[in-house]
Amino acid sequence: RIFVGPKDYALLHSLGHELDRVIDFSRISFIYVCTKWLFLALTWLNGYVGNYGWSIIILTFVVRLVFFPLTYRSSITMRQTSKKMTKIQPRVKAIQDRYRKMKKSMETNRQMNEEVMALYKKEGVNPMANLGGCLPLLLQMPIFIGFYNMLAVTIEMRQAPFMLWLHDLSRRDPYYVTPILMGASWVLQQLMTSSSIPDPMQRKMMMLMPIMFTFMMMNMPSGLVIYWLTSNVLGMVQQYLTNKRADQLDAEARAQSGG
């Protein structure tokens, strides 16, 4: 038997025989499952909302809400670690300067690293904790890829309008307004984050990423840009709450040490 018709997921699924597998969400099983469930959630939401653009915004809010406890905790930990590292940075620099005057060798490098790590251990600092700042981005990547695949292979959002000048969520923003807003929101979010990072090189790298992604998103489907823009705005709210909580913990720590 032969099926000749559109790759409509609901239609293919209703016919059985796993015909819905012809919609190639991804060849990677994990991404396939992620993309498929994003698509099912989005179409279910659209059944109530009646607009795929608003459905993307609502789904992004739900995804952010699910991951909020994990990203919030990692952000608090990174902020506290950064403050501790800033505090002991002069002592770390003094150790490095002392060994810099010695003859360079593998042994002196090993001794210097051991002394620095001993200082970190004494002060209760985990230098690897700052890598937690990458966690929110890493968590978003499967969702980002899932949205991209979904917009690329499904027919449901082709010519699906959002509002104003966005008449097709599967095509790029004709005036590049949403990519620019996405980049600006990301820059603001990075400014809120980078104030607690002592390493100037790391701060520069963090500011470079939004600029690179803005140019990359110029020709991406507008539905994907709406997802990332919404995620950035929600991320700014999360970062505000993180900074407020971190400042509260710092004040409590100062009050205890003063007592």
Side-chain angles (χ1 to χ4, degrees), residues 174-194:
Y175 303 112
Y176 304 109
V177 175
T178 49
I180 292 170
L181 288 175
M182 186 276 299
S185 64
W186 200 350
V187 168
L188 289 174
Q189 186 181 356
Q190 296 290 58
L191 286 172
M192 294 172 70
T193 307
S194 62

Side-chain angles (χ1 to χ4, degrees), residues 120-133:
Y120 284 151
K121 186 176 181 179
K122 180 182 176 182
E123 297 295 331
V125 175
N126 179 12
M128 301 301 291
N130 273 337
L131 295 177

Side-chain angles (χ1 to χ4, degrees), residues 62-223:
V62 172
V63 170
R64 270 282 186 175
L65 193 63
V66 169
F67 286 116
F68 177 77
L70 183 59
T71 54
Y72 178 75
R73 180 178 293 184
S74 69
S75 297
I76 290 288
T77 302
M78 188 187 74
R79 173 78 180 264
Q80 291 176 323
T81 301
S82 296
K83 282 187 173 294
K84 288 180 180 178
M85 291 189 72
T86 302
K87 185 178 178 181
I88 66 171
Q89 192 63 33
R91 294 162 66 185
V92 173
K93 190 174 184 302
I95 294 172
Q96 292 171 340
D97 290 341
R98 177 157 47 84
Y99 277 94
R100 193 174 291 119
K101 297 174 183 178
M102 300 179 184
K103 185 178 180 181
K104 289 186 178 180
S105 67
M106 291 182 64
E107 181 62 21
T108 55
N109 284 336
R110 184 186 64 80
Q111 291 176 356
M112 181 186 72
N113 291 333
E114 285 182 353
E115 195 169 338
V116 170
M117 292 307 295
L119 176 61
Y120 284 151
K121 186 176 181 179
K122 180 182 176 182
E123 297 295 331
V125 175
N126 179 12
M128 301 301 291
N130 273 337
L131 295 177
C134 300
L135 182 62
L137 183 60
L138 291 175
L139 288 175
Q140 286 188 74
M141 287 313 295
I143 311 296
F144 177 84
I145 296 169
F147 266 107
Y148 178 80
N149 291 347
M150 179 173 59
L151 290 162
V153 302
T154 60
I155 65 170
E156 282 78 2
M157 272 172 285
R158 292 181 185 176
Q159 299 182 351
F162 177 32
M163 60 180 184
L164 301 176
W165 65 92
L166 296 177
H167 304 299
D168 188 347
L169 291 169
S170 67
R171 298 175 66 86
R172 66 173 176 82
D173 184 334
Y175 303 112
Y176 304 109
V177 175
T178 49
I180 292 170
L181 288 175
M182 186 276 299
S185 64
W186 200 350
V187 168
L188 289 174
Q189 186 181 356
Q190 296 290 58
L191 286 172
M192 294 172 70
T193 307
S194 62
S195 59
S196 62
I197 297 176
D199 186 0
M201 184 58 67
Q202 190 176 351
R203 289 200 299 268
K204 288 179 182 178
M205 290 298 295
M206 287 180 66
M207 296 306 298
L208 183 62
M209 195 176 296
I211 297 171
M212 292 172 56
F213 263 80
T214 299
F215 283 101
M216 287 174 58
M217 299 292 276
M218 287 291 188
N219 293 310
M220 292 288 185
S222 55

